[in-house]
Amino acid sequence: MLNGKIIVLGVSGGIAAYKAVELLRLLTKAGADVHVIMTRAAQEFVTPLTFQTLSRNPVHTDLFELMAQGDIGHISLADRADLFVIAPATANIIGKLACGIADDMLTTTAMATRGTVLLAPAMNVNMYGNAIYQENEERLRRHGYLFVNPVKGDLACGWEGEGKLQTPEIIFQEVLKALTPSDLVGERLLVTAGPTREEIDPVRYLSNHSSGKMGYAIARAAWRRGAQVTLVSGPTALPMPWGVTFVPVESAGEMYDAVMALVGECSVVIKAAAVADYRPVVRAGEKLKKRGDAMTLELVKNRDILRELGKEKGSRLLVGFAAETTELLSNARKKLAEKNVDLLVANDVTEAGAGFSVETNIVHLLYRDGRVEAPGILSKEAVANLILNRVAALRSEQEG
Ligand code: PMT
C-alpha cells in the first residue's frame, strides 16, 4: 500500500508519544520507509531506540549532530519526504509551526518541507480549547496543513474531554488519504455492501455469503480519493470504514428505503450488495415449531433497488454488480440493459479467488457501448480503485 513512499514521522513530547510507536508499526507494515524525528521532550516519554528498531532507520534528534557529519539532515529529509506526519503534535509544536519558529530538528525539517504535513494534535482539553491554540490551528489549516482531530476521552492530566490523540489506526487511514490523489472531490457516492437478511421467524433468516469486503473496499477507496461517501450496509463482521457515513440495514426492504431516501443527494451509486431477491410472505411472530418431514416456505419478490434507480437516473452514474454462476457475460449483458446502468461489474462467484468472502475478485467490466474489460485476478482494493477510475472517466466523458 505504501511501498516506495518515504514518510517522516515527527514525535513531540506528550504522553501519547507511545502511540506513535504503533503508528510507525502500521506505516512500516504497509511498506513505507519511515524516518523518525523526535523532540527532546518526546525522548522523555519513549526512547529513540524503540523507533530506530521498528523503522530500521536512524532516529533524528539533534539538528547540529547531523550537520557536523556533513549532511544537512533537515533539508535532505524535508526534500525526500512524500508526507510529513507529526503525531502526537503538542500545542507547543503547533504554536511554533504557526509562527514560523524553527529551533530544533523537528520544526526545522517541517518548515523546510514542501510536501504535505499532517498533524495529529494531543493535549489537555483546556489547552485545546484555548483561543490562541485554535487560532494557530486555523492559521496552519489555511496554509494547507492537514489535521487529524483529537478525540474526547480521559486525558493523562486527569481531565476528561477533547484532546486525546486519535487512534493510530485512524491516523494511518488519514495518512493513506493524504497520499492519495483527490480525483473524486465533489462526487457524492452511495455504496451498498454486504448481504441482506430476510427473517422467517425471530430466530431464522434467509441470507447469502456476502462478507461486505467488496463494497467496503469501494467505500474506503472513494473516501481516500476525496469523495463524500455513504455506505448502506447489510450485516457484516467488518469494522465501519473511517470517514464514511454509515447506514446499517438488515433486510432488502430496509436497504430499499435507505437507498431511496439518500439517492437524491448522490452523484454516483455503486451497488455491490448481495440483495435477497425474495423474502418470506409471512414473518412468524414466534419460532416455527418442527412439524412433519417437510415444510414449504412461501416467498414473495423484493423490489429490485438497482432497477428502480435505473428508471430515473438523470446524470447520476450507476454501477451495478452481477453475481453469476453460469454464462457470466450473457447474464451480465442482460442486467446491464435491463437495469439501465452505466457500468456493470460481473463476477463468477464459483471461480476460485472471486466473489464472496475472499480478499480478491475476478471481474469483467461491461460498458453500455459493448466494451468489456477483463483485468484478471486483483485484490478487492485494486478492483475498487479500478471501478472508481472508470467512474471518473465516465464522468469526464459526460462533461466533455
Ligand atoms: O461481499 P463480498 O463477500 O466481498 O462479495 C462480493 C460480492 C460477490 C457480493 C459482489 O462482488 C457482488 O457480486 N455483488 C452483487 C451481488 C448480487 O446481488 O448480484 P445479482 O446479480 O443478484 O444482482 C445484480 C445487481 O442488482 C446487484 O448490483 C445488486 O445489488 C442489485 N439488486 C439485486 C436484487 C435486488 N432486489 N435489488 C438490487 O439492487
Side-chain angles (χ1 to χ4, degrees):
M1 239 181 221
L2 293 177
N3 285 331
K5 297 288 179 201
I6 297 179
I7 295 178
V8 175
L9 173 60
V11 185
S12 60
I15 184 68
Y18 74 95
K19 292 188 188 167
V21 176
E22 177 59 10
L23 176 61
L24 169 61
R25 205 188 56 77
L26 293 169
L27 295 171
T28 52
K29 201 171 150 211
D33 179 18
V34 186
H35 296 261
V36 177
I37 303 177
M38 298 179 78
T39 61
R40 199 175 43 76
Q43 295 167 63
E44 299 287 333
F45 293 94
V46 187
T47 67
L49 187 61
T50 309
F51 289 106
Q52 185 167 317
T53 310
L54 286 171
S55 68
R56 294 166 190 261
N57 281 317
V59 170
H60 306 281
T61 54
D62 185 349
L63 186 61
F64 299 105
E65 246 171 47
L66 279 165
M67 281 181 171
Q69 287 163 16
D71 172 14
I72 303 181
H74 63 289
I75 301 297
S76 91
L77 267 182
D79 283 348
R80 286 156 61 214
D82 291 294
L83 184 70
F84 202 118
V85 188
I86 306 183
T90 57
N92 179 50
I93 283 291
I94 289 168
K96 281 184 185 176
L97 293 177
C99 296
I101 296 172
D103 65 352
D104 64 3
M105 182 68 181
L106 180 52
T107 46
T108 314
T109 317
M111 292 281 304
T113 193
R114 284 180 304 165
T116 307
V117 181
L118 178 68
L119 300 167
M123 63 197 73
N124 162 273
V125 58
N126 297 327
M127 287 170 89
Y128 186 63
N130 186 301
I132 296 170
Y133 169 79
Q134 289 297 329
E135 279 173 25
N136 287 338
E137 180 176 324
E138 171 54 29
R139 182 174 161 88
L140 288 172
R141 281 186 190 272
R142 264 191 284 120
H143 285 284
Y145 286 69
L146 302 176
F147 279 79
V148 187
N149 291 338
V151 289
K152 277 190 185 154
D154 293 331
L155 301 171
C157 51
W159 282 78
E160 202 197 316
E162 219 168 350
K164 204 178 162 75
L165 184 71
Q166 185 51 279
T167 64
E169 289 75 17
I170 287 172
I171 299 171
F172 175 69
Q173 291 302 322
E174 294 284 352
V175 166
L176 294 179
K177 184 172 201 262
L179 285 166
T180 306
S182 304
D183 62 339
L184 294 179
V185 170
E187 294 288 2
R188 284 155 290 121
L189 253 85
L190 177 58
V191 181
T192 69
T196 61
R197 284 180 184 169
E198 311 303 317
E199 290 204 343
I200 297 168
D201 66 17
V203 298
R204 305 178 181 97
Y205 55 78
L206 297 172
S207 191
N208 58 65
H209 296 296
S210 173
S211 62
K213 285 178 186 169
M214 189 65 254
Y216 280 52
I218 296 169
R220 280 195 304 268
W223 170 74
R224 279 180 209 146
R225 292 170 67 156
Q228 242 177 280
V229 183
T230 302
L231 175 63
V232 177
S233 174
T236 76
L238 302 177
M240 254 191 272
W242 171 248
V244 158
T245 303
F246 188 73
V247 181
V249 297
E250 288 271 330
S251 65
E254 281 179 26
M255 188 172 278
Y256 180 95
D257 292 342
V259 168
M260 292 308 162
L262 292 161
V263 71
E265 294 158 17
C266 295
S267 54
V268 182
V269 182
I270 305 185
K271 286 227 71 254
V275 188
D277 290 323
Y278 292 88
R279 66 181 184 282
V281 171
V282 179
R283 181 222 183 254
E286 288 169 15
K287 184 181 171 192
L288 293 172
K289 293 291 173 214
K290 234 185 294 176
R291 278 193 213 108
D293 290 340
M295 84 174 268
T296 303
L297 191 62
E298 201 185 342
L299 303 178
V300 60
K301 209 172 190 173
N302 284 325
R303 283 173 296 186
D304 190 314
I305 308 166
L306 189 56
R307 192 183 290 263
E308 285 301 311
L309 295 175
K311 284 182 190 163
E312 282 187 38
K313 216 172 69 60
S315 61
R316 185 177 303 123
L317 292 171
L318 200 52
V319 180
F321 271 70
E324 305 296 339
T325 56
T326 56
E327 296 179 49
L328 180 72
L329 289 180
S330 60
N331 284 330
R333 271 192 196 101
K334 256 185 245 161
K335 284 180 185 168
L336 175 86
E338 285 173 10
K339 303 198 183 195
N340 192 29
V341 297
D342 297 284
L343 174 63
L344 194 108
V345 184
N347 44 191
D348 179 341
V349 292
T350 62
E351 235 183 311
F356 296 119
S357 293
V358 289
E359 301 299 326
T360 53
N361 209 351
I362 305 168
V363 297
H364 284 70
L365 303 186
L366 285 79
Y367 299 84
R368 287 155 89 96
D369 60 8
R371 272 179 304 139
V372 178
E373 257 187 287
I377 187 162
L378 294 172
S379 67
K380 282 187 175 164
E381 208 73 44
V383 172
N385 275 307
L386 182 66
I387 294 169
L388 294 172
N389 291 346
R390 300 306 178 253
V391 164
L394 287 168
R395 177 67 78 217
S396 302
E397 272 173 36
Q398 210 178 42
E399 288 169 353

